[in-house]
Amino acid sequence: MDCPSSAKRCDGVSRTCTTCETMSWMQRTQLGTRGSAPSDPVRLWMRHCVALFRSSTGFFAGLSSHATHPCSASSLAGPSPAGLLGLGHPMSTPRHEQRAELSSAARPAYSNPGTAEPAIGPPKGVGLGVRHNKRAPRPTVAEALMGTAARDKALGSARAPKGSASKRPREPRLLPAGTTALPGRSAGEPGGEVTFAPAAFSPAEAQRLLKCLQTEVGWMHKEVMVMGRLVMQPRLVAYQADHASLAYTYSRLTLSPDAWSPAVLAIKERMEVLAGARFNSCLLNLYRDGRDAMGWHSDNESLYGPAPTIGSASFGARRDFVLRWNADPNVKWRAQLGAGDLLVMHGDLQAHWMHALPKRAGVPGPRVNLTFRQIVHPEAPPA
Ligand SMILES: O=C(O)CCC(=O)C(=O)O
Ligand SMILES: [Fe+2]
């Protein structure tokens, strides 16, 4: 696939890092298991939503301003077996978590965009959903269909009954497809939701997009300051946004945005359909192999407002993504994010949960992750 670079490189951009933890658990729920055949009303309904999502993303693809570019939305011809889900969510003040990460040891330069074979998984399960509505809290479709208790059972939710902290699951769960209210939240309580749409891009689309992302994005390997000393980030980074004014600063380092590149714009369009939200910036991470990682953190910087919707898209090697509840760090959720999977973190999740991408042995290739964000309070330009 010939995918000419269209992104400019920017200078002085980096991201703070942290120590990531290793998780040793594994649990699959029925709906979280990929490739399972729809055999009950909920799954059949999901399949219906898949068809809806395919047609909506086709519509958006036709609107692309990069219609002739090989990495553009309109070049994505394959099926998109995922749907839309969403919940309203209460607002709360985010708690700032300082990012800190393990530095990578000396690593060979990244140089494989043309030859790397991404680890594309088998055909996967489906997502489901309805449009996200920020103002009016609404039940998930699954809840509406069968009630909370049955939904929790079917989706393997780790939501705990009120006041039963000791009964909360100590084992991490696998995020199910669809939208899940994470533990600690029932109506009106803080918590947050995750929408997980496996295989929102078909394997063929995901493979093509990975190659585009590897070549068209201005990847940088940057040192950052962690606890008073400079360390290399254990991954490559890039940053794109609507406008040069949408810089992203933390730990005294500023990410100056590149313009959108065609592949990123194509992914953004599909992500916005899933999330029911608009995004004006995107942080990109390229994990060269299993030694690259991201430590525990929350995406709760003030420029995103009090309850940001964060859309995460993954391409390349499947990796574990872990959520950890601030109120009880033993409560964790895991999603295995594979090529073409989308995940949206909604509501006040960033205020109550942290997330990480742990190091893993035996990861077969590189992975690119894009986190789409909406900057609502742009930073003041440097004096
Ligand atoms: O790579 C991932 O899945 C996580 C990325 C992330 O959390 C971030 O960019 O803030
Ligand atoms: Fe994050």
Side-chain angles (χ1 to χ4, degrees):
M1 167 102 201
D2 182 27
C3 178
S5 172
S6 63
K8 291 173 299 189
R9 287 180 184 272
C10 50
D11 321 311
V13 179
S14 51
R15 196 158 192 244
T16 354
C17 312
T18 64
T19 304
C20 66
E21 295 181 5
T22 304
M23 264 64 56
S24 60
W25 34 261
M26 183 171 290
Q27 180 168 336
R28 283 179 171 274
T29 62
Q30 191 184 14
L31 283 174
T33 304
R34 296 166 189 280
S36 54
S39 60
D40 59 39
V42 175
R43 290 201 209 167
L44 287 170
W45 179 86
M46 288 177 178
R47 188 168 265 188
H48 172 69
C49 291
V50 165
L52 279 178
F53 187 58
R54 283 179 188 168
S55 48
S56 67
T57 53
F59 169 74
F60 276 87
L63 295 180
S64 170
S65 56
H66 297 271
T68 57
H69 193 284
C71 299
S72 68
S74 61
S75 73
L76 303 177
S80 309
L84 319 177
L85 252 201
L87 278 179
H89 40 69
M91 306 276 276
S92 78
T93 306
R95 184 175 58 83
H96 180 74
E97 292 288 346
Q98 186 185 0
R99 291 165 194 257
E101 284 174 297
L102 265 188
S103 166
S104 60
R107 302 283 298 279
Y110 176 71
S111 63
N112 64 347
T115 53
E117 277 309 312
I120 304 297
K124 295 176 248 181
V126 295
L128 70 163
V130 295
R131 289 300 292 261
H132 182 65
N133 182 340
K134 282 188 173 177
R135 288 169 196 268
R138 52 166 67 170
T140 64
V141 172
E143 282 172 336
L145 281 176
M146 58 182 171
T148 304
R151 193 289 312 254
D152 284 355
K153 187 163 175 248
L155 296 185
S157 167
R159 180 188 293 182
K162 240 179 159 178
S164 63
S166 61
K167 290 182 188 151
R168 279 196 195 104
R170 294 284 155 174
E171 291 177 343
R173 303 294 186 94
L174 186 68
L175 278 174
T179 291
T180 301
L182 294 168
R185 180 188 182 277
S186 56
E189 291 178 341
E193 294 85 31
V194 169
T195 297
F196 180 37
F201 293 90
S202 71
E205 286 176 330
Q207 188 157 16
R208 196 147 51 100
L209 284 166
L210 175 66
K211 288 184 178 172
C212 289
L213 292 166
Q214 286 174 302
T215 52
E216 77 178 22
V217 170
W219 295 108
M220 300 167 290
H221 197 201
K222 289 288 185 180
E223 279 185 326
V224 291
M225 189 71 78
V226 178
M227 289 185 281
R229 67 188 182 98
L230 282 173
V231 294
M232 269 298 176
Q233 287 184 296
R235 61 185 177 275
L236 308 189
V237 294
Y239 181 58
Q240 299 184 6
D242 275 357
H243 193 268
S245 64
L246 298 177
Y248 176 27
T249 301
Y250 57 91
S251 297
R252 286 171 286 157
L253 294 166
T254 299
L255 291 163
S256 303
D258 287 334
W260 294 112
S261 61
V264 177
L265 210 48
I267 298 161
K268 181 167 100 78
E269 287 177 358
R270 199 166 292 188
M271 179 67 81
E272 287 178 341
V273 173
L274 175 69
R278 299 303 302 268
F279 299 107
N280 61 10
S281 57
C282 179
L283 181 66
L284 298 97
N285 291 288
L286 194 161
Y287 305 90
R288 295 156 292 179
D289 57 34
R291 292 171 294 177
D292 276 357
M294 185 177 292
W296 290 111
H297 69 279
S298 299
D299 297 318
N300 61 355
E301 291 92 346
S302 58
L303 77 169
Y304 302 126
T309 298
I310 309 281
S312 158
S314 296
F315 298 90
R318 189 180 306 283
R319 294 285 296 261
D320 283 350
F321 173 83
V322 192
L323 283 154
R324 182 176 81 182
W325 196 20
N326 298 340
D328 181 352
N330 290 311
V331 177
K332 291 177 182 150
W333 279 93
R334 176 177 58 90
Q336 289 187 323
L337 300 182
D341 292 354
L342 301 184
L343 178 127
V344 183
M345 294 180 271
H346 301 276
D348 55 2
L349 185 146
Q350 301 301 329
H352 296 277
W353 292 75
M354 301 181 83
H355 54 275
L357 192 98
K359 289 185 179 195
R360 287 286 184 263
V363 172
R367 167 180 185 265
V368 173
N369 176 264
L370 304 86
T371 45
F372 292 95
R373 300 127 186 270
Q374 179 74 9
I375 294 177
V376 292
H377 304 301
E379 296 170 354

